[in-house]
Amino acid sequence: EAGNLRQADSSMNAFFQGFFPTTQDVRTVDVAVTQPIFTWGKVSAAVRAAKQGLQTADDQMDFYRQGAVRDVTIAFYDVLLARELNRIAVQNLKQKERHLDEAKNKYTLGTATDYDILAAEVGVKNAQPEVIRTENLIRTTRERLNFLLAGEAEGLPVEGTLLGEVTAPPAVDAVIASAWDNRPELAELKHRAAVAKELVKIERAGDKPQIEFRGGVGWKQLAAGGLQGNGKTWNVGVYLTFPFYDGRRSYGRMVQAESDQRTLDIETEKTRDAIRLEARTAVDAVHEAQAILAALAGTVEQARRLLFMAEQGFGFGVKTRLDVDDAQLNLSQAEANLARAQRDYLTARVTLEWVQGKL
């Protein structure tokens, strides 16, 4: 019985192989084309989103470019300020050295004492540290400027002046309006919001039917059993696809896209509020710098006259060394305060231009 069963099984296999021979070799070369015909706006929305996405790259480049211009300009003014402070310190030191020479000459003539020489020497020693500090400040500001220019300022002369025309800043409302029109951060958020809007359209069409054209041509070779054949193949047709059930995946992605869109709206309003604050702060900084410049107007010239009168009086014996030192200190402070005020005003103007998005 077992032998009969094996013989029957072998006969059945041979019978079916006659109808369904085992494939031995298949070679295929195909070129297929698929063209969507109707997708509920998914393709057009994707194209618009891509265009908006490319514009965000330009917005980011503009943002960093304007920031670089602002930082380099402020660093340039810092170098000029450091040089001015160094000039004041060197001038003060030379003045102290001249006083020491005068004290020594008077001591030789018998009109001055050891106290006068010692006091003059102490004044020279006290003036030297400020010269050293300002020289180091020049090197530090030059290195920062060179860093911001990616090493291109190495060895190049930095020339300029802190003097500039003082003009009133625009109104706060005008600054805010200009910032909303020109700030690259807002432009980037606008384009990102446009991308998010298109993504919502794409996700809403995720569970909708779509129609597309499909076509293809090719060549196929088939070998099965003892048979063999080859030839051209082609197919063409219009297909309708409909996702009947996807586990609410499309709905979840649509909700996520809508949430991202609302998040961008909130971020845009937050950025607008920050720009309002920046605009008011920048305008106030310009007003403050203007007020300080107005308060210091003429102070340096008056301090120079005061020092001249003190030195003349000391030469005639009607002024003391303390009067001369006090006048010299007032002149140094007046010149340093004026230089800082000029730098602060120029920096405030640059910052105001940056806030308006006009750099």
Side-chain angles (χ1 to χ4, degrees):
E1 292 180 359
N4 293 334
L5 289 175
R6 285 194 297 268
Q7 184 178 1
D9 184 58
S10 177
S11 301
M12 290 291 292
N13 290 336
F15 174 78
F16 282 108
Q17 287 180 1
F19 288 95
F20 306 103
T22 302
T23 301
Q24 297 179 355
D25 187 19
V26 177
R27 298 178 182 179
T28 304
V29 178
D30 289 318
V31 177
V33 176
T34 302
Q35 174 63 47
I37 298 176
F38 180 72
T39 61
W40 294 85
K42 289 176 64 176
V43 175
S44 58
V47 172
R48 291 192 298 268
K51 291 181 180 179
Q52 296 291 336
L54 291 175
Q55 292 181 4
T56 60
D58 296 334
D59 298 331
Q60 292 179 2
M61 178 63 71
D62 192 19
F63 171 76
Y64 289 111
R65 182 182 293 113
Q66 291 193 25
V69 172
R70 177 199 58 189
D71 295 341
V72 169
T73 306
I74 293 176
F76 170 75
Y77 291 144
D78 288 340
V79 175
L80 298 183
L81 175 61
R83 288 183 174 179
E84 182 65 17
L85 295 178
N86 178 256
R87 184 194 66 79
I88 296 170
V90 171
Q91 175 182 291
N92 182 52
L93 176 60
K94 290 181 178 179
Q95 189 80 358
K96 299 296 183 182
E97 291 174 345
R98 186 163 58 83
H99 292 167
L100 177 60
D101 294 337
E102 292 177 356
K104 290 180 179 180
N105 293 333
K106 289 183 178 181
Y107 179 79
T108 303
L109 297 174
T111 58
T113 64
D114 294 337
Y115 174 83
D116 296 324
I117 295 178
L118 182 60
E121 290 178 346
V122 171
V124 171
K125 296 295 183 181
N126 288 334
Q128 289 176 347
E130 188 63 22
V131 175
I132 298 173
R133 292 191 190 96
T134 53
E135 289 176 349
N136 183 67
L137 182 61
I138 292 175
R139 288 191 294 269
T140 302
T141 53
R142 277 299 303 263
E143 289 174 358
R144 172 167 174 76
L145 178 61
N146 186 51
F147 166 77
L148 292 173
L149 291 175
E152 295 184 3
E154 185 70 29
L156 295 179
V158 180
E159 300 176 356
T161 177
L162 291 174
L163 298 177
E165 183 181 0
V166 180
T167 57
V172 175
D173 293 339
V175 173
I176 294 175
S178 176
W180 285 355
D181 292 336
N182 301 315
R183 285 289 286 269
E185 305 100 306
L186 289 176
E188 179 187 2
L189 287 172
K190 179 181 178 181
H191 293 140
R192 288 174 57 190
V195 172
K197 182 179 179 181
E198 301 299 336
L199 291 178
V200 171
K201 294 180 180 179
I202 294 173
E203 299 303 337
R204 282 179 178 172
D207 58 352
K208 302 294 191 302
Q210 65 179 21
I211 302 174
E212 61 184 12
F213 167 82
R214 299 178 190 173
V217 296
W219 178 86
K220 179 177 293 187
Q221 177 178 327
L222 176 65
L227 301 177
Q228 179 175 320
N230 60 70
K232 297 179 180 180
T233 62
W234 64 271
N235 65 84
V236 63
V238 177
Y239 295 81
L240 171 67
T241 59
F242 187 87
F244 290 99
Y245 180 73
D246 61 357
R248 295 178 65 83
R249 175 175 175 271
S250 299
Y251 175 78
R253 297 185 61 173
M254 181 191 68
V255 172
Q256 181 180 358
E258 292 177 345
S259 176
D260 293 340
Q261 184 180 11
R262 289 192 295 268
T263 300
L264 285 173
D265 293 339
I266 295 173
E267 187 175 351
T268 300
E269 291 302 319
K270 181 180 177 181
T271 304
R272 285 178 175 269
D273 291 338
I275 289 176
R276 289 190 189 97
L277 178 60
E278 289 177 355
R280 291 187 174 91
T281 303
V283 173
D284 291 342
V286 174
H287 283 304
E288 177 185 350
Q290 280 185 319
I292 293 176
L293 284 175
L296 293 175
T299 303
V300 174
E301 186 61 31
Q302 292 175 350
R304 289 197 181 104
R305 290 180 56 193
L306 182 63
L307 177 61
F308 175 78
M309 295 170 61
E311 289 180 338
Q312 292 296 318
F314 179 75
F316 290 111
V318 296
K319 293 291 184 180
T320 65
R321 172 59 60 188
L322 181 62
D323 295 329
V324 177
D325 291 341
D326 186 57
Q328 178 63 40
L329 178 62
N330 288 334
L331 176 60
S332 298
Q333 290 180 344
E335 290 179 336
N337 290 336
L338 179 61
R340 291 190 179 93
Q342 290 171 339
R343 179 266 179 194
D344 292 343
Y345 173 76
L346 294 175
T347 300
R349 294 296 306 196
V350 172
T351 304
L352 180 61
E353 294 293 318
W354 175 79
V355 170
Q356 295 181 85
K358 292 184 176 181
L359 283 182

